Amino acid sequence: MNENHDIQQVIRFTVPWKADRGEQEKRNVRSFLREEHGISRSLLVELKRAKGIRLNGVPTYLDHPLAPGDTVELYLPEEKSENVEPEPIPFFIIYEDDYILVVDKAPNLCVHPTMLHPNGTLANGVVYHWQRQGISRKFRPVNRLDKDTSGLVLIAKNQYSHQQLAAVQRAGGIIRYYEAFVHGQVREDTGTIDAPIRRKADSLMERIVHEDGQWARTHYTVLGRYATFTHLRLKLDTGRTHQIRVHMSYMGHPLLGDDLYGGERMLIGRQALHARMLSFPHPHDKRMLSFEAPLPDDMATLLVAAHNKLSFR
């Protein structure tokens, strides 16, 4: 991890050798950044306007030819944290470097400010955490969780990282596994729910399965069956709002504690849903990263109590 916490970040790339001589001779700054590193056109335009592209330490232009061993640097523009006020909100850091931050979000914590929760959110805590390091950044979550859902949240620390990870996400390259407790005993050990989701007509929040909705697919695996609930592992192919909650309710097994979609709160005071695992390529060096977050106390306690009773397997 780079310990230099200057407000302006620098992204560096070294130009490698290309076996094809013709391709090597055609390579310029624009093609290198666009085709080999996936830099978006909009970011290149912004960097060009700010004179933030350098070749071997000297400001350059996009059509400048490149040779193996050259160093191309992107000087990212300084950023403000917009309307997110720094607040000392505690959160657990799983991993952090100059490009990304991965946190284990506690239940009952909003990811970002809303009209109902203008402060006291994860975003406020992250901006405060960065401020203490001398960093001024926008809060850019790559994935989002409902307020009551716990688990892993991936946050990009700059525009370049967010653009790279968003492209990976669109291509299905960010793998997410959740764990949930649902009412009743799910019969099949594995299964897939492929059902489109849209907003309910008379609600600002609630979603429903509907033929006119957006495509949504959820895979599930049974981890354990107990007297009053089933423990599931779930993998998402899409990321629709409330997707797991809607699909489980549609299947006839709403999440414990999810009273919006037919669950009851006798055993737990929020929807029993946890983002357990996250896997993705690092936005800069492309190495695969995988992270896990253990079940939070409320779900872990409920699972231990269920294990101590007769289980159905």
Side-chain angles (χ1 to χ4, degrees), residues 56-73:
N56 300 323
V58 179
T60 189
Y61 51 92
L62 292 174
D63 291 332
H64 197 292
L66 295 176
D70 281 345
T71 298
V72 178
E73 297 174 322

Side-chain angles (χ1 to χ4, degrees), residues 12-251:
R12 293 181 175 86
F13 304 99
T14 300
V15 180
W17 175 263
K18 271 199 171 185
D20 187 317
R21 184 174 179 179
E23 289 297 315
Q24 182 71 63
E25 291 175 350
K26 292 181 195 175
R27 184 189 262 167
N28 59 26
V29 173
R30 178 185 286 103
S31 65
F32 176 68
L33 294 175
R34 288 278 291 144
E35 298 169 16
E36 298 182 40
H37 290 283
I39 308 299
S40 69
R41 190 182 305 276
S42 60
L43 180 53
L44 279 186
V45 169
E46 186 175 344
L47 289 167
K48 180 182 177 181
R49 186 183 300 119
K51 298 182 179 179
I53 305 174
R54 298 186 187 183
L55 175 60
N56 300 323
V58 179
T60 189
Y61 51 92
L62 292 174
D63 291 332
H64 197 292
L66 295 176
D70 281 345
T71 298
V72 178
E73 297 174 322
L74 307 181
Y75 284 73
L76 300 181
E78 297 181 1
E79 294 184 324
K80 299 294 183 181
S81 60
E82 297 179 306
N83 297 322
V84 179
E85 294 296 326
E87 293 182 66
I89 306 298
F91 62 93
F92 187 77
I93 296 174
I94 298 287
Y95 176 84
E96 184 174 18
D97 62 21
D98 288 339
Y99 299 88
I100 59 172
L101 171 65
V102 180
V103 308
D104 182 3
K105 186 186 84 69
N108 306 311
L109 178 66
C110 285
V111 170
H112 54 85
T114 65
M115 289 183 62
L116 294 178
H117 302 91
N119 48 42
T121 71
L122 177 63
N124 299 107
V126 167
V127 170
Y128 176 82
H129 165 69
W130 287 339
Q131 184 186 69
R132 295 190 67 190
Q133 299 178 57
I135 297 173
S136 179
R137 294 281 179 268
K138 291 182 180 179
F139 179 74
R140 290 185 170 98
V142 178
N143 69 307
R144 302 185 186 223
L145 300 179
D146 294 339
K147 173 176 174 284
D148 288 347
T149 300
S150 56
L152 295 170
V153 177
L154 171 60
I155 301 158
K157 291 183 68 172
N158 53 56
Q159 186 177 352
Y160 162 76
S161 295
H162 190 263
Q163 177 245 303
Q164 294 288 303
L165 290 166
V168 171
Q169 189 173 47
R170 286 193 297 271
I174 297 181
I175 309 301
R176 296 166 291 166
Y177 284 96
Y178 292 73
E179 290 189 22
F181 302 157
V182 301
H183 284 281
Q185 278 78 51
V186 176
R187 284 189 170 188
E188 301 296 327
D189 290 340
T190 61
T192 297
I193 304 168
D194 201 334
I197 293 174
R198 69 170 231 186
R199 190 196 306 268
K200 191 176 180 180
D202 58 352
S203 175
L204 293 176
M205 181 182 299
E206 193 173 352
R207 266 64 177 175
I208 58 172
V209 167
H210 194 282
E211 60 182 6
D212 294 334
Q214 293 178 296
W215 172 61
R217 179 184 291 157
T218 305
H219 306 280
Y220 67 86
T221 300
V222 171
L223 299 179
R225 297 181 179 92
Y226 304 96
T228 57
F229 68 90
T230 301
H231 182 192
L232 297 179
R233 179 173 62 233
L234 303 118
K235 178 180 179 294
L236 301 180
D237 284 348
T238 52
R240 308 305 176 201
T241 300
H242 296 180
Q243 179 172 322
I244 290 174
R245 301 168 64 187
V246 173
H247 274 176
M248 292 299 102
S249 180
Y250 174 72
M251 187 177 157

